[in-house]
Amino acid sequence: MEQTHEAELVRRAQAGDAEAFGALVTEHQRFVYNLALRATSDAHEAEDVAQEAFVRAWLALPNFRRQAQFRTWLYRIVTNLCCNRLPRLRRDLSALSEEEVDEYSAPVDERTNPAYDVEASEQRAFLHQRIAALPESYRLLVSLRYQDELSYEEIADVLGLPLGTVKTGLFRARAQLREALREFETG
Amino acid sequence: MSTRPLTEAEALAAVDDALRTYPLAPAPAAFTPKVMSRIRALTPTPRFSLAWIDYAISLFAAGMAGLLILLRQSIPPQTAMQAQLQIMYLFMRFNVALLWPALLVGGLVAVAVLLMAVALFGRSRPALVR
């Protein structure tokens, strides 16, 4: 959604325009639902959390400062709700200690062999299964990073965690997947 | 499985690719209407209701109107004539020139009091009732 259009919808919703808020719900419902789904692993509970998050957002909208991004503010509500429902999730996130991790940038994949495409799609399907099997705290982190495309700073802000903890969590999630891929390769 | 083992960079690229392409589940059916109906359920529907003061004022006004009708019907014509004469005498003793300014000042004071009441009590509006 275009930033100015969203800002206008937020302004109208803050003035009590339910229709504008409905448009914001429609725009963000999928990401909010998926974020809740990653954390709860249950479709019904995720839907309930997502609905509750939007209701709370509507109630708290008069306090929303427009300098902040609506999206990150909304995600913070979702993650807080998830942590309230799953105390273990908050504990797991807090337990992620900070480690010195290298900034990772994806290398350019130079393999263009057609045989590799088949293999790559198998790998991808396997990795998707392993992503689904990651601990909730890691799933939440990778969802915010790769699906919602938040920066490390934004994730730290959403989850109320130190920046280093966020980096460590993402590093470990990738390391677990790398390890799983190694097992996949060795068959 | 693989024709050649992946290099570390390739493996990390594959992991990164899988993370980026991890599919999003579709939002549940009729999600927005469900949310909006929960929000509407929170917003109290304005209902017509009367406070005790409304009943008291209505009773007083009705009583006064009834009293006036009763008095008008029960006063004998001679007493009514006397009362009329008394009123005329009273007006003759008044300084009629001050009547209109007095009414104007009274009206302005009444408006000021009303505005003050609106400013004091009209501010606390529930957040959801707009």
Side-chain angles (χ1 to χ4, degrees), chain A residues 112-153:
Chain A
T112 51
N113 183 349
Y116 171 71
D117 289 343
V118 177
E119 196 184 328
S121 70
E122 281 174 11
Q123 265 177 14
R124 187 184 285 169
F126 169 78
L127 283 169
H128 284 171
Q129 284 174 4
R130 298 309 296 251
I131 292 168
L134 282 173
E136 289 95 341
S137 52
Y138 288 168
R139 278 211 306 268
L140 198 60
L141 284 168
V142 297
S143 184
L144 286 166
R145 178 70 181 143
Y146 291 95
Q147 297 188 320
D148 304 322
E149 294 178 337
L150 298 190
S151 64
Y152 290 123
E153 288 79 7

Short mmCIF file of all heavy atoms in Angstrom, two decimals, chain A residues 112-153:
data_model
loop_
_atom_site.label_atom_id
_atom_site.label_comp_id
_atom_site.label_asym_id
_atom_site.label_seq_id
_atom_site.Cartn_x
_atom_site.Cartn_y
_atom_site.Cartn_z
N THR A 112 23.16 -22.59 -12.98
CA THR A 112 22.11 -22.42 -13.99
C THR A 112 21.77 -23.74 -14.67
O THR A 112 21.01 -23.77 -15.63
CB THR A 112 22.54 -21.40 -15.07
OG1 THR A 112 23.82 -21.80 -15.55
CG2 THR A 112 22.60 -20.00 -14.51
N ASN A 113 22.34 -24.80 -14.22
CA ASN A 113 22.09 -26.12 -14.78
C ASN A 113 20.62 -26.51 -14.58
O ASN A 113 20.12 -26.47 -13.46
CB ASN A 113 23.03 -27.11 -14.07
CG ASN A 113 22.90 -28.51 -14.63
OD1 ASN A 113 21.98 -28.78 -15.39
ND2 ASN A 113 23.83 -29.36 -14.23
N PRO A 114 19.88 -26.93 -15.68
CA PRO A 114 18.47 -27.30 -15.52
C PRO A 114 18.26 -28.42 -14.51
O PRO A 114 17.26 -28.46 -13.80
CB PRO A 114 18.04 -27.75 -16.92
CG PRO A 114 19.04 -27.16 -17.84
CD PRO A 114 20.31 -27.02 -17.08
N ALA A 115 19.24 -29.35 -14.44
CA ALA A 115 19.12 -30.45 -13.46
C ALA A 115 19.08 -29.90 -12.05
O ALA A 115 18.43 -30.46 -11.16
CB ALA A 115 20.29 -31.40 -13.63
N TYR A 116 19.78 -28.79 -11.90
CA TYR A 116 19.82 -28.18 -10.57
C TYR A 116 18.45 -27.63 -10.17
O TYR A 116 18.08 -27.68 -9.00
CB TYR A 116 20.87 -27.06 -10.54
CG TYR A 116 20.78 -26.28 -9.27
CD1 TYR A 116 21.19 -26.85 -8.06
CD2 TYR A 116 20.22 -25.01 -9.25
CE1 TYR A 116 21.05 -26.16 -6.88
CE2 TYR A 116 20.10 -24.33 -8.08
CZ TYR A 116 20.51 -24.90 -6.89
OH TYR A 116 20.36 -24.22 -5.73
N ASP A 117 17.67 -27.15 -11.15
CA ASP A 117 16.36 -26.58 -10.86
C ASP A 117 15.46 -27.57 -10.13
O ASP A 117 14.79 -27.23 -9.17
CB ASP A 117 15.68 -26.10 -12.15
CG ASP A 117 16.37 -24.87 -12.71
OD1 ASP A 117 17.13 -24.24 -11.94
OD2 ASP A 117 16.16 -24.57 -13.89
N VAL A 118 15.46 -28.82 -10.64
CA VAL A 118 14.65 -29.87 -10.02
C VAL A 118 15.14 -30.10 -8.61
O VAL A 118 14.36 -30.16 -7.65
CB VAL A 118 14.73 -31.17 -10.85
CG1 VAL A 118 13.95 -32.29 -10.19
CG2 VAL A 118 14.26 -30.93 -12.28
N GLU A 119 16.46 -30.21 -8.52
CA GLU A 119 17.07 -30.46 -7.22
C GLU A 119 16.78 -29.31 -6.26
O GLU A 119 16.45 -29.51 -5.08
CB GLU A 119 18.58 -30.60 -7.42
CG GLU A 119 19.29 -31.24 -6.25
CD GLU A 119 20.79 -31.27 -6.47
OE1 GLU A 119 21.23 -31.40 -7.62
OE2 GLU A 119 21.49 -31.14 -5.46
N ALA A 120 16.88 -28.11 -6.79
CA ALA A 120 16.66 -26.92 -5.97
C ALA A 120 15.23 -26.86 -5.47
O ALA A 120 14.99 -26.47 -4.33
CB ALA A 120 16.98 -25.66 -6.78
N SER A 121 14.28 -27.25 -6.33
CA SER A 121 12.89 -27.19 -5.88
C SER A 121 12.63 -28.25 -4.80
O SER A 121 11.85 -28.02 -3.88
CB SER A 121 11.93 -27.36 -7.06
OG SER A 121 11.99 -28.66 -7.53
N GLU A 122 13.34 -29.40 -4.91
CA GLU A 122 13.23 -30.42 -3.85
C GLU A 122 13.81 -29.89 -2.54
O GLU A 122 13.23 -30.06 -1.48
CB GLU A 122 14.00 -31.69 -4.26
CG GLU A 122 13.23 -32.55 -5.23
CD GLU A 122 14.07 -33.73 -5.72
OE1 GLU A 122 15.15 -33.99 -5.15
OE2 GLU A 122 13.65 -34.37 -6.70
N GLN A 123 14.97 -29.25 -2.70
CA GLN A 123 15.63 -28.65 -1.53
C GLN A 123 14.72 -27.62 -0.88
O GLN A 123 14.57 -27.58 0.33
CB GLN A 123 16.89 -27.92 -1.99
CG GLN A 123 18.15 -28.71 -1.89
CD GLN A 123 19.32 -27.90 -2.45
OE1 GLN A 123 19.21 -26.69 -2.67
NE2 GLN A 123 20.42 -28.57 -2.71
N ARG A 124 14.11 -26.81 -1.73
CA ARG A 124 13.26 -25.74 -1.22
C ARG A 124 12.07 -26.32 -0.46
O ARG A 124 11.75 -25.85 0.64
CB ARG A 124 12.78 -24.88 -2.40
CG ARG A 124 12.03 -23.65 -1.96
CD ARG A 124 11.51 -22.90 -3.15
NE ARG A 124 12.55 -22.17 -3.85
CZ ARG A 124 12.37 -21.61 -5.04
NH1 ARG A 124 11.22 -21.74 -5.68
NH2 ARG A 124 13.34 -20.93 -5.62
N ALA A 125 11.45 -27.34 -1.05
CA ALA A 125 10.30 -27.97 -0.38
C ALA A 125 10.72 -28.56 0.96
O ALA A 125 10.01 -28.44 1.96
CB ALA A 125 9.70 -29.05 -1.28
N PHE A 126 11.92 -29.18 0.96
CA PHE A 126 12.43 -29.76 2.20
C PHE A 126 12.67 -28.66 3.24
O PHE A 126 12.27 -28.79 4.40
CB PHE A 126 13.75 -30.51 1.90
CG PHE A 126 14.49 -30.91 3.14
CD1 PHE A 126 14.08 -32.03 3.87
CD2 PHE A 126 15.59 -30.19 3.58
CE1 PHE A 126 14.78 -32.39 5.03
CE2 PHE A 126 16.28 -30.55 4.72
CZ PHE A 126 15.87 -31.65 5.45
N LEU A 127 13.29 -27.58 2.78
CA LEU A 127 13.58 -26.48 3.72
C LEU A 127 12.29 -25.83 4.24
O LEU A 127 12.22 -25.42 5.40
CB LEU A 127 14.48 -25.44 3.05
CG LEU A 127 15.95 -25.83 2.95
CD1 LEU A 127 16.72 -24.86 2.06
CD2 LEU A 127 16.60 -25.88 4.34
N HIS A 128 11.28 -25.75 3.38
CA HIS A 128 9.99 -25.20 3.83
C HIS A 128 9.42 -26.04 4.97
O HIS A 128 8.86 -25.50 5.93
CB HIS A 128 9.00 -25.11 2.66
CG HIS A 128 9.30 -23.96 1.73
ND1 HIS A 128 8.66 -23.80 0.53
CD2 HIS A 128 10.19 -22.94 1.84
CE1 HIS A 128 9.13 -22.72 -0.08
NE2 HIS A 128 10.06 -22.19 0.70
N GLN A 129 9.57 -27.36 4.84
CA GLN A 129 9.11 -28.24 5.93
C GLN A 129 9.88 -27.96 7.21
O GLN A 129 9.32 -27.93 8.29
CB GLN A 129 9.31 -29.70 5.54
CG GLN A 129 8.29 -30.21 4.54
CD GLN A 129 8.62 -31.63 4.08
OE1 GLN A 129 9.57 -32.25 4.57
NE2 GLN A 129 7.84 -32.13 3.15
N ARG A 130 11.20 -27.76 7.03
CA ARG A 130 12.04 -27.53 8.22
C ARG A 130 11.77 -26.16 8.84
O ARG A 130 11.92 -25.99 10.04
CB ARG A 130 13.53 -27.68 7.87
CG ARG A 130 13.91 -29.05 7.38
CD ARG A 130 13.45 -30.17 8.31
NE ARG A 130 14.09 -30.10 9.62
CZ ARG A 130 15.00 -30.96 10.04
NH1 ARG A 130 15.38 -31.98 9.29
NH2 ARG A 130 15.52 -30.83 11.24
N ILE A 131 11.42 -25.21 7.99
CA ILE A 131 11.07 -23.88 8.54
C ILE A 131 9.82 -24.02 9.42
O ILE A 131 9.75 -23.46 10.51
CB ILE A 131 10.82 -22.85 7.41
CG1 ILE A 131 12.13 -22.54 6.67
CG2 ILE A 131 10.22 -21.55 7.96
CD1 ILE A 131 11.96 -21.77 5.37
N ALA A 132 8.86 -24.81 8.91
CA ALA A 132 7.62 -25.01 9.68
C ALA A 132 7.90 -25.72 11.00
O ALA A 132 7.14 -25.57 11.96
CB ALA A 132 6.62 -25.81 8.85
N ALA A 133 9.01 -26.48 11.04
CA ALA A 133 9.33 -27.24 12.25
C ALA A 133 10.26 -26.49 13.20
O ALA A 133 10.63 -27.01 14.26
CB ALA A 133 9.97 -28.57 11.86
N LEU A 134 10.65 -25.27 12.82
CA LEU A 134 11.53 -24.48 13.71
C LEU A 134 10.78 -24.13 15.00
O LEU A 134 9.55 -24.09 14.99
CB LEU A 134 11.93 -23.17 13.02
CG LEU A 134 13.01 -23.20 11.93
CD1 LEU A 134 13.11 -21.82 11.27
CD2 LEU A 134 14.37 -23.58 12.52
N PRO A 135 11.50 -23.84 16.09
CA PRO A 135 10.81 -23.37 17.29
C PRO A 135 10.05 -22.06 17.00
O PRO A 135 10.44 -21.30 16.11
CB PRO A 135 11.96 -23.10 18.28
CG PRO A 135 13.10 -23.88 17.76
CD PRO A 135 12.94 -23.95 16.28
N GLU A 136 8.96 -21.85 17.76
CA GLU A 136 8.09 -20.68 17.50
C GLU A 136 8.87 -19.37 17.47
O GLU A 136 8.60 -18.49 16.64
CB GLU A 136 6.99 -20.57 18.56
CG GLU A 136 5.93 -21.62 18.50
CD GLU A 136 6.22 -22.78 19.42
OE1 GLU A 136 7.39 -22.93 19.83
OE2 GLU A 136 5.28 -23.54 19.72
N SER A 137 9.83 -19.23 18.41
CA SER A 137 10.56 -17.96 18.49
C SER A 137 11.34 -17.71 17.19
O SER A 137 11.36 -16.58 16.68
CB SER A 137 11.51 -17.98 19.68
OG SER A 137 12.33 -19.13 19.63
N TYR A 138 11.95 -18.74 16.64
CA TYR A 138 12.69 -18.59 15.39
C TYR A 138 11.74 -18.33 14.22
O TYR A 138 12.03 -17.52 13.33
CB TYR A 138 13.52 -19.84 15.09
CG TYR A 138 14.73 -20.04 15.99
CD1 TYR A 138 15.42 -21.24 16.01
CD2 TYR A 138 15.20 -19.01 16.80
CE1 TYR A 138 16.53 -21.44 16.83
CE2 TYR A 138 16.30 -19.20 17.61
CZ TYR A 138 16.96 -20.40 17.64
OH TYR A 138 18.05 -20.58 18.45
N ARG A 139 10.60 -19.03 14.25
CA ARG A 139 9.62 -18.84 13.17
C ARG A 139 9.13 -17.40 13.16
O ARG A 139 8.96 -16.80 12.10
CB ARG A 139 8.43 -19.79 13.37
CG ARG A 139 8.67 -21.19 12.88
CD ARG A 139 7.38 -21.82 12.41
NE ARG A 139 6.35 -21.76 13.42
CZ ARG A 139 6.11 -22.72 14.31
NH1 ARG A 139 6.84 -23.81 14.30
NH2 ARG A 139 5.14 -22.60 15.19
N LEU A 140 8.91 -16.87 14.36
CA LEU A 140 8.44 -15.48 14.47
C LEU A 140 9.49 -14.53 13.90
O LEU A 140 9.18 -13.62 13.13
CB LEU A 140 8.18 -15.17 15.94
CG LEU A 140 7.30 -13.97 16.27
CD1 LEU A 140 5.92 -14.14 15.67
CD2 LEU A 140 7.19 -13.80 17.77
N LEU A 141 10.75 -14.79 14.25
CA LEU A 141 11.83 -13.92 13.77
C LEU A 141 11.97 -13.98 12.25
O LEU A 141 12.05 -12.94 11.59
CB LEU A 141 13.16 -14.33 14.42
CG LEU A 141 13.37 -13.92 15.88
CD1 LEU A 141 14.57 -14.63 16.47
CD2 LEU A 141 13.55 -12.41 15.98
N VAL A 142 11.97 -15.20 11.70
CA VAL A 142 12.16 -15.30 10.24
C VAL A 142 10.94 -14.78 9.49
O VAL A 142 11.06 -14.22 8.40
CB VAL A 142 12.52 -16.75 9.77
CG1 VAL A 142 13.83 -17.20 10.35
CG2 VAL A 142 11.43 -17.74 10.06
N SER A 143 9.78 -14.92 10.11
CA SER A 143 8.57 -14.39 9.47
C SER A 143 8.64 -12.87 9.37
O SER A 143 8.33 -12.28 8.33
CB SER A 143 7.35 -14.82 10.27
OG SER A 143 6.18 -14.42 9.63
N LEU A 144 9.07 -12.24 10.47
CA LEU A 144 9.18 -10.77 10.47
C LEU A 144 10.25 -10.31 9.49
O LEU A 144 10.11 -9.29 8.83
CB LEU A 144 9.50 -10.27 11.88
CG LEU A 144 8.35 -10.32 12.89
CD1 LEU A 144 8.87 -10.11 14.30
CD2 LEU A 144 7.29 -9.27 12.57
N ARG A 145 11.32 -11.09 9.41
CA ARG A 145 12.46 -10.68 8.57
C ARG A 145 12.20 -10.96 7.07
O ARG A 145 12.43 -10.09 6.24
CB ARG A 145 13.72 -11.44 9.03
CG ARG A 145 14.96 -11.15 8.22
CD ARG A 145 15.47 -9.75 8.44
NE ARG A 145 16.64 -9.49 7.63
CZ ARG A 145 16.88 -8.32 7.06
NH1 ARG A 145 16.05 -7.32 7.22
NH2 ARG A 145 17.96 -8.13 6.34
N TYR A 146 11.71 -12.14 6.78
CA TYR A 146 11.65 -12.55 5.36
C TYR A 146 10.28 -12.38 4.73
O TYR A 146 10.18 -12.21 3.52
CB TYR A 146 12.12 -14.00 5.21
CG TYR A 146 13.59 -14.15 5.48
CD1 TYR A 146 14.05 -14.51 6.73
CD2 TYR A 146 14.52 -13.89 4.48
CE1 TYR A 146 15.41 -14.63 6.99
CE2 TYR A 146 15.88 -14.00 4.73
CZ TYR A 146 16.31 -14.36 5.99
OH TYR A 146 17.65 -14.46 6.24
N GLN A 147 9.22 -12.47 5.52
CA GLN A 147 7.90 -12.32 4.92
C GLN A 147 7.40 -10.89 5.05
O GLN A 147 6.83 -10.33 4.12
CB GLN A 147 6.93 -13.31 5.55
CG GLN A 147 7.38 -14.73 5.24
CD GLN A 147 6.38 -15.76 5.67
OE1 GLN A 147 5.78 -15.66 6.71
NE2 GLN A 147 6.22 -16.77 4.84
N ASP A 148 7.61 -10.31 6.21
CA ASP A 148 7.16 -8.93 6.40
C ASP A 148 8.25 -7.93 6.01
O ASP A 148 8.01 -6.73 5.96
CB ASP A 148 6.76 -8.72 7.86
CG ASP A 148 5.69 -9.71 8.29
OD1 ASP A 148 4.83 -10.01 7.47
OD2 ASP A 148 5.75 -10.21 9.43
N GLU A 149 9.44 -8.47 5.75
CA GLU A 149 10.58 -7.68 5.27
C GLU A 149 10.90 -6.49 6.18
O GLU A 149 11.10 -5.37 5.72
CB GLU A 149 10.35 -7.23 3.82
CG GLU A 149 10.30 -8.42 2.88
CD GLU A 149 10.03 -8.03 1.44
OE1 GLU A 149 9.45 -6.95 1.23
OE2 GLU A 149 10.39 -8.81 0.55
N LEU A 150 10.91 -6.76 7.48
CA LEU A 150 11.29 -5.72 8.43
C LEU A 150 12.81 -5.72 8.58
O LEU A 150 13.45 -6.76 8.42
CB LEU A 150 10.66 -5.97 9.80
CG LEU A 150 9.13 -5.97 9.93
CD1 LEU A 150 8.74 -6.00 11.40
CD2 LEU A 150 8.49 -4.77 9.26
N SER A 151 13.34 -4.56 8.92
CA SER A 151 14.79 -4.48 9.18
C SER A 151 15.05 -5.06 10.58
O SER A 151 14.12 -5.27 11.37
CB SER A 151 15.24 -3.03 9.15
OG SER A 151 14.62 -2.32 10.20
N TYR A 152 16.33 -5.32 10.89
CA TYR A 152 16.67 -5.84 12.22
C TYR A 152 16.18 -4.89 13.31
O TYR A 152 15.67 -5.31 14.34
CB TYR A 152 18.19 -5.99 12.35
CG TYR A 152 18.80 -7.10 11.52
CD1 TYR A 152 19.81 -6.85 10.60
CD2 TYR A 152 18.39 -8.42 11.68
CE1 TYR A 152 20.37 -7.87 9.84
CE2 TYR A 152 18.95 -9.44 10.93
CZ TYR A 152 19.94 -9.16 10.01
OH TYR A 152 20.50 -10.18 9.27
N GLU A 153 16.36 -3.59 13.04
CA GLU A 153 15.95 -2.58 14.03
C GLU A 153 14.44 -2.63 14.26
O GLU A 153 13.97 -2.54 15.39
CB GLU A 153 16.35 -1.17 13.57
CG GLU A 153 17.85 -0.89 13.62
CD GLU A 153 18.61 -1.49 12.43
OE1 GLU A 153 17.97 -2.02 11.49
OE2 GLU A 153 19.85 -1.46 12.47
#
